Amino acid sequence: MSNLRTEQPVFETDRITDGFDIFFWVFNDASSFVATHWHTAIEIMYIIDGEVDVMMNQQTVILKPGDVFLIDSRLPHSTKSVHGNHAVLIQLPYEFSKKYIPDVDSFIFGFDCHTDNAILRTKIDSLIDVIQKMRIVYEIQPKGALLRFNSLLFEMLYLLYHSFSREVESSQFKKDVKNFVRLEPVLEYTKKHYNTPITLSEISQIACFQEEYFCHYFKKNMGVTYFQYLNEIRLSHIYRDLTSTDLPLKVLLEKHGFTNYKLFRKMFYEQFATTPGEYRKNAAVSD
């Protein structure tokens, strides 16, 4: 149950915790900003302490202690935790879900984590109870830990299937998969070259689209424009380096390819309600 891979690439391949069939991680996050990304796994986040903002479908959901949130497979999203959090992160790999729910492609999974509906609230509480028990087994590792953990895992899968799924046309799923497959070369190229100048002509050629159609296609499927996406990635790297290095801000911008300083300051303030200098200063004081 060790050696967890915590890096979050733009397109995440399904991750698995050592010894398990899923990815399960209890973590303390001092502060983070993860740019728009997606994965084929179903992701569940349970907040123990602190606060996490999830940006998805052009909306922001603020998660606080006791909240649980589900992000369906292939759903672009970004996360932010300015003041840090303590949370449980679970990812159910696509192949795992497909094995035990053969028609998983016919369902959309999700729920309103802040619902006032009493019936749905009871179901969500049941899911939280399972997560809390999984955490105890994961951390304490009693005799027969793997057996107990897996029994809870299948209880979770049962809850997702019966309480938090909605049937859709399989043709729509196939269309969505096709769209994301067509964007994979773009995401991979951007991941590798984000710190260099990337033109619309260049990235459109990678996608094998005309420029105008590429702009429309990317925004429709990712929820942001390509250059918003590119600058989010650059911003996430700079945000991390502001506290992990002593490099001047100008050097960080050059290192991560952000050439427009005014745009950077505007994006930084919109995301974190402070300036880069103030953020770095406050982070140093808290340490």
Side-chain angles (χ1 to χ4, degrees):
M1 300 184 189
S2 58
N3 301 323
L4 303 188
R5 294 174 289 163
T6 60
E7 181 183 351
Q8 299 249 20
V10 172
F11 159 62
E12 291 182 357
T13 54
D14 287 354
R15 303 180 291 178
I16 298 177
T17 300
D18 290 351
F20 292 163
D21 293 322
I22 67 166
F23 182 78
F24 190 92
W25 183 28
V26 182
F27 65 95
N28 282 291
D29 177 16
S31 181
S32 65
F33 171 61
V34 181
T36 300
H37 64 289
W38 62 276
H39 32 71
T40 57
I42 296 172
E43 183 170 279
I44 301 170
M45 193 183 319
Y46 173 68
I47 310 302
I48 301 168
D49 193 21
E51 187 174 299
V52 178
D53 295 355
V54 180
M55 287 69 73
M56 186 173 66
N57 293 329
Q58 299 183 336
Q59 294 182 332
T60 298
V61 179
I62 300 174
L63 304 178
K64 296 186 177 182
D67 284 341
V68 63
F69 194 76
L70 187 152
I71 301 171
D72 201 6
S73 172
R74 297 179 177 85
L75 193 58
H77 60 283
S78 61
T79 61
K80 176 177 64 179
S81 182
V82 176
H83 302 295
N85 67 90
H86 183 203
V88 177
L89 179 66
I90 302 169
Q91 290 182 344
L92 307 177
Y94 173 75
E95 291 301 327
F96 173 81
S97 301
K98 180 75 172 176
K99 180 178 180 179
Y100 296 104
I101 307 177
D103 56 346
V104 68
D105 297 343
S106 300
F107 294 92
I108 290 175
F109 296 86
F111 54 82
D112 176 6
C113 67
H114 295 142
T115 183
D116 291 327
N117 182 289
I119 296 176
L120 180 55
R121 189 73 254 167
T122 299
K123 294 177 180 179
I124 292 173
D125 289 342
S126 295
L127 177 61
I128 291 173
D129 181 62
V130 171
I131 293 172
Q132 290 174 330
K133 289 176 179 176
M134 292 173 79
R135 176 193 169 197
I136 292 171
V137 174
Y138 176 82
E139 293 182 332
I140 298 178
Q141 298 188 44
K143 183 179 179 180
L146 188 58
L147 290 172
R148 178 57 176 150
F149 187 91
N150 283 336
S151 71
L152 291 166
L153 172 57
F154 283 106
E155 186 175 343
M156 170 184 286
L157 202 61
Y158 181 84
L159 281 170
L160 294 183
Y161 184 58
H162 277 270
S163 300
F164 306 118
S165 66
R166 177 169 59 87
E167 195 165 2
V168 294
E169 292 290 336
S170 59
S171 59
Q172 181 61 47
F173 173 83
K174 292 177 182 178
K175 181 180 178 182
D176 291 341
V177 170
K178 181 180 178 181
N179 289 340
F180 281 114
V181 167
R182 295 193 71 177
L183 283 177
E184 279 186 29
V186 172
L187 305 186
E188 286 299 319
Y189 185 85
T190 306
K191 174 185 171 183
K192 294 177 182 177
H193 302 282
Y194 78 92
N195 57 347
T196 64
I198 299 178
T199 65
L200 179 58
S201 173
E202 177 184 1
I203 200 63
S204 297
Q205 289 179 24
I206 295 295
C208 299
F209 287 144
Q210 294 182 344
E211 293 181 14
E212 184 177 349
Y213 184 70
F214 169 75
C215 292
H216 170 76
Y217 190 89
F218 192 93
K219 175 69 179 294
K220 179 181 179 181
N221 288 282
M222 293 297 291
V224 294
T225 69
Y226 175 73
F227 288 106
Q228 285 175 326
Y229 167 78
L230 174 60
N231 284 331
E232 271 189 20
I233 295 174
R234 291 168 172 166
L235 180 62
S236 68
H237 284 279
I238 296 169
Y239 181 79
R240 179 198 61 200
D241 283 356
L242 276 171
T243 54
S244 62
T245 75
D246 294 324
L247 294 173
L249 180 59
K250 181 180 179 181
V251 174
L252 292 181
L253 264 64
E254 292 175 353
K255 176 183 176 183
H256 296 299
F258 220 126
T259 57
N260 188 328
Y261 180 68
K262 288 186 177 180
L263 176 59
F264 166 76
R265 283 183 62 90
K266 180 175 182 292
M267 284 187 65
F268 195 95
Y269 194 85
E270 287 176 349
Q271 286 286 355
F272 311 113
T274 187
T275 66
E278 289 171 342
Y279 169 72
R280 175 175 259 177
K281 181 180 178 181
N282 292 334
V285 170
S286 62
D287 289 342

